[in-house]
Amino acid sequence: MKKTISVSNQGATLDTSRRNFLKLGGIGLAMAGLTLIGCDDDDDFQVINNKVFDLGTGDVGVLNYAYALEQLEADFYTKVVNNFYSGISSIEQELFTDLYHHELIHRDFFKAAISGVTSNVLPKLEFQYPGVNFSSRSSVLATAKALEDTGVAAYNGAGKYISNPDYLVIAGKIVSVEARHASAIRNIINPGSADFSGDDVIDANGLDVAKEPKDIVMVAGGFIKTPFTWKERGI
């Protein structure tokens, strides 16, 4: 069944609680004009058999790259919320549920956006999580931290390859949400500390770390079972 995915800013307040802080990320996407129409409830992605998919060139390549990462995050959080680890607190359940919904919106947005301009749409990827114990709080949080930090660095590093200013604005909106995610996860791991903006992700100039696509794929590739290439970027 077709559905419309949208985020409303109706009745939004500047509540500084963690839950509403994260929800403001969704409001930012609504302000950017992200309304997705025509996504199927059963996520009927096309899988290309016996062929290694290439992400493409120019803006299409960057969008497919972002789509691959959003598929990964959406898949991870789907597994988390479908079987919460033992002893999870209500605050952590709310956090992971919010992150889950955000990542589904991001994933479905990229699918719709790419489909609107080309038939070269990345198929549904398969994932694996070696060494991740979804029943363990520490394992889930450590993986979430790695994925969110990687996602922020990926958007920051790929921004310079986007030529369409509209796409660049949207990417900026989404990376700001991913940074909120990363900050929230880091605070859950080490509450009340400065880890939310640690030196490992913020450089000496006070800017988020940016990483090239090739470096990102080397890190995230361990989770991705479906092979793909991005010849334009040497991947």
Side-chain angles (χ1 to χ4, degrees), residues 2-16:
K2 299 294 183 182
K3 63 181 178 180
T4 298
I5 301 174
S6 61
V7 183
S8 173
N9 62 349
Q10 184 176 2
T13 62
L14 293 178
D15 189 311
T16 56

Side-chain angles (χ1 to χ4, degrees), residues 13-214:
T13 62
L14 293 178
D15 189 311
T16 56
S17 70
R18 180 181 294 107
R19 184 170 176 80
N20 281 328
F21 172 75
L22 287 168
K23 285 185 180 297
L24 289 177
I27 294 167
L29 293 180
M31 290 178 175
L34 305 193
T35 300
L36 314 182
I37 302 175
C39 297
D40 289 337
D41 289 329
D42 59 357
D43 295 327
D44 58 342
F45 295 83
Q46 297 280 328
V47 178
I48 300 176
N49 294 318
N50 301 319
K51 180 181 178 182
V52 176
F53 183 90
D54 187 77
L55 299 184
T57 60
D59 287 345
V60 168
V62 179
L63 293 178
N64 271 318
Y65 168 62
Y67 180 33
L69 297 176
E70 295 297 350
Q71 281 195 49
L72 170 57
E73 289 188 307
D75 184 81
F76 172 74
Y77 288 118
T78 297
K79 287 179 169 54
V80 172
V81 300
N82 281 341
N83 186 24
F84 285 123
Y85 50 78
S86 177
I88 188 170
S89 68
S90 60
I91 290 177
E92 289 170 10
Q93 285 191 33
E94 289 180 349
L95 170 63
F96 281 116
T97 300
D98 283 345
L99 268 57
Y100 160 75
H101 286 298
H102 287 177
E103 301 303 355
L104 290 189
I105 291 172
H106 295 174
R107 181 200 66 188
D108 291 350
F109 165 72
F110 279 110
K111 183 188 178 185
I114 301 166
S115 299
V117 297
T118 182
S119 60
N120 191 56
V121 184
L122 182 72
K124 181 179 180 181
L125 302 176
E126 291 186 61
F127 302 100
Q128 60 189 1
Y129 300 93
V132 179
N133 180 358
F134 283 92
S135 298
S136 165
R137 179 180 186 272
S138 60
S139 183
V140 169
L141 287 173
T143 306
K145 175 183 174 183
L147 289 177
E148 296 295 352
D149 288 348
T150 298
V152 174
Y155 276 100
N156 290 338
K160 62 179 177 289
Y161 299 122
I162 299 175
S163 59
N164 185 319
D166 293 331
Y167 292 155
L168 189 59
V169 169
I170 296 301
K173 293 282 187 178
I174 293 177
V175 71
S176 67
V177 177
E178 299 293 351
R180 291 172 187 249
H181 293 178
S183 176
I185 290 292
R186 284 168 166 261
N187 187 64
I188 287 288
I189 294 173
N190 195 4
S193 72
D195 286 0
F196 74 95
S197 59
D199 292 341
D200 55 330
V201 288
I202 306 296
D203 66 21
N205 296 314
L207 302 176
D208 264 317
V209 170
K211 294 185 179 180
E212 288 293 312
K214 184 181 294 187

